[in-house]
Amino acid sequence: MGLIDKNLSLRNRRKLILGIFDDEDKLMDASSALVHEGVHIQDVYTPYPVHGLDRIIGVKRSNLSVVAFLCGLTGFSLACLMIWYMYVYDWPMNIGNKPERFTPSWIPIMFESTVLCTAYGMGFFFFIRNRLLHGIQPELLHDRQTDDTMVICIETGDGVNESKIVDIMRSKGATEVRERNGGVQTTI
Amino acid sequence: MAHGHHIEIVQEQFSVPAKAKTISIILAVVGLILTGVGFAFLGDSNSASHSKATAHTEATHEAAGHHDDAATHEVAGHEAAGHEMEHGNVQTEKFGPRIDIQSISHPPMVRFWASLLIIGYYLLLISLAALMFVAIQYIANAGWSAAVKRVPEAIYTFVPVAFLVVFAVILIAKNDLYHWAHYEHLGLKKGDAGFDHILAGKSGFLNTGMLLAFPTILAIIFVLIGRKLRSLSKAEDAADKGETRFFKKSIRWSAAFAVLYGFTLSVIVWLYIMSLDAHWFSTIFGVYNFATGWVSALTCIGLFVIYLKSQGYLKLVSDEHVHDLGKFMFAFSIFWTYIWISQYLLIWYAHIPEEMSYYQIRYENYKPYFLVNLVLNFITPFLVLMMRNAKRNRWVLAIAGTLMLVGHYNDIWLMVMPGVYGPGQNISILDIGLLLFFAGVFMYWVLIALTKMGLVAVNHPYIEESAHHDVGV
C-alpha cells in the first residue's frame, strides 16, 4: 500500500457496474441488499456523508488518527529541537532573568508547533489518500456525483453474478444502472 | 432518516436499585464517621500555634473578636512585606522575589468550615454546569444528546442543596475564611495602624453585602430556570407526539440562562473563591473555575450514564453516545489544562510579586498537591482517554472519570486551603469524610431525581436522531 491508495484509482479497472441513485435511503437499502448477497462493493460515491453507510459497505477504520499522532510527535520534537538550538545552544539570551533550560515558557511553542504539524499533516494525508490533492486528476463516474447523485461502484470479475447485481440495484430503486468498460459507460 | 433498523422509542421508568441505595448510604455514613474522627483531631492540628483555641461552633463573632489582635498584626505583617517587596532588594531565586507567607491560625472549627466550603462549592460548580449543559443542548439544537438529557436534568436539581451548603458556611464562618471580611469587620480608617489600601480599594465590590446577596439572587434565578426547564421537559413527555411548543420554550429559557450564567459565574467565583486571596487577582480565574466545573459535570454525566446502562436502562444510548461523552471528558480536560497553564504561565512570566504570591505558596508549600493536580487532571485523561477504544470502553471511562473527579476536588482544595490558612495544611481525614459524605448524598439525590421523570425524553424533537446517532467507523 503506497502513499496514494491505488485501490481508490479507477484507471486500471477491468469492468465496473454502476448503480445511480438519487435517494440515500434507497442507496442504503441497495447497499445492504448487495452486501447481504455477498457482493463486494468497491466504493460508493456520495456528494455528502451518508451516516451508517460506512458500516454497511464495510469501510475499515482509517489510520488517520495514527498519522495525526505521529505528526504531533514530529511537531513536538521539532519545537524542542528549535528552542534548544536557538535559545540554549546557539544564542542564549537573558529574558527577564528566566532560566534557559526547560521552563514553562517553552510550553506554548511546543503546543503550537504540535498543533500546527498535526493539523497540516492530517490535512495533507487526508487529501493524498483520498486522491483529492491538487494535481491528481479526479475520476468522476457520474457528472452529478458531487451534486445530488449517488453512485454504487462494483467491480466485476470471476465469480460475480452480474445480472443478479443489476436486478438488486433495479429493484431497490436505482434510477439507472450502467456498465463501465475501459472508461466507456453504457446504460444497461 | 430512520434507515434500516427501526428503533422503538419507549419510555423507561427508573427506580433506584436497592444496591445503589445501600452504597450511597454507606458512603454517607462512612463519610460521617470519618468526619467525626476528623473532628476529634481538629483541636490537635492547631493547638500548637493557637493556644487559646476554643471549640465554639456558633460564636464566630466572638471567635473573630478574640483574635482581632493577631489578625491586625497579620495584616500589618503583610503590608510590611509588601513594602519590602517594592523598595527592598529583590531576590531572584528560582521563583523570583519572595513574599514571606506565614501560616495563619484559626479556631479549630474553621478547618471544618473550609472543608465544607470546598465540597459545597465543588458540587455547586458541577450542578450549575449540568444545567449549562442542558441549556447548551437546547440552544445548539443538539440532536445526539436527547437520549442522555435526563441525566444532567437530574444532576442540576442539586443546585439548591450545594448552594445552601456554601451559603451556610459563609454565613457562619466568613470572618475566619475570608480575611477581607475580617478586615471589614475591624472597620479601619485611612491612617489607622494596619490600614490596608488594597482591601479598602476593593471594598466597593468585595463586601459582606455583596458576598451574601449577589450569589444568592443568582442562585435563586438559576434554580427557578432549572425548575422551569424540568417542568417543560415533563410537559413535553405528556404532550402529543410531534409537539414542539415546549422545546421552543425551552430554547428561550436556556438562552436566558446561558447569558446570565456566562456573565455572572465569574462574579460568583471571584466572591466565593478568588477573594480568599483578597490581595491577589487573576482575570482568567472565572474561566478556570468554569472549566473545572464543566469537565467535572461532563464526567458526572458520563458516570451516571454508564451506571444506568449497566443496570439495563437507557436503551437508546449506545456506544456512540458514550464515546461522545468520553470525547467531551477528554477534550475539556485539555481545555482545563490550557486555562490552568495560561494562568500559571502569565504569572510566572510577568514576575510580579503580588501576582506570584498565589503560586509561590501553592508550589513551594503544597508541591505534592500541585503536581497531583497536573497528573490527575491532565496526564491521566490525556493518556488514558486518547485512544478511541478507551472512550468506548465503559470500565476505562469510569475509572478515568473517577480519577478526574478526585483530581478536580484536589484542584479546588488547592484554591481554597492555602488561601485560608497559608502553608501547613494537608488533605485530612475530615476532608475525605466530607467528600465521601457528600458523594453519597449527591448520588442518592440524583438517583432519586432520576425517578421523578421518565428516563427517555420520548417527545423530544430530536429523540429519533439521538437514537440513530452514529459517530462513524
Side-chain angles (χ1 to χ4, degrees), chain A residues 24-25 28-29 32 51-52 54-56 59-62 69 95-99 103-105 107-108 111, chain B residues 1-4 92 94 320 334 338 341 344-345 347-351 356 386 388 392 468 470-473:
Chain A
E24 69 173 64
D25 279 346
M28 301 247 279
D29 278 342
S32 39
H51 291 289
D54 39 8
R55 286 187 210 282
I56 291 173
V59 174
K60 286 203 190 67
R61 176 159 162 73
S62 135
F69 182 75
I95 299 171
N97 223 7
K98 299 292 181 197
T103 70
S105 58
I107 292 172
F111 171 77
Chain B
M1 239 196 116
H3 163 79
T92 42
K94 187 178 69 183
E320 313 294 318
I334 293 169
Y338 184 78
I341 196 75
Y344 176 76
L345 203 58
I347 289 174
W348 177 84
Y349 224 117
H351 219 268
M356 225 149 38
M386 192 196 285
R388 171 189 160 95
R392 293 172 86 89
H468 290 86
D470 185 353
V471 295
V473 177

Side-chain angles (χ1 to χ4, degrees), chain B residues 43-55:
Chain B
D44 291 359
S45 63
N46 271 338
S47 56
S49 58
H50 195 268
S51 52
K52 282 193 285 181
T54 42

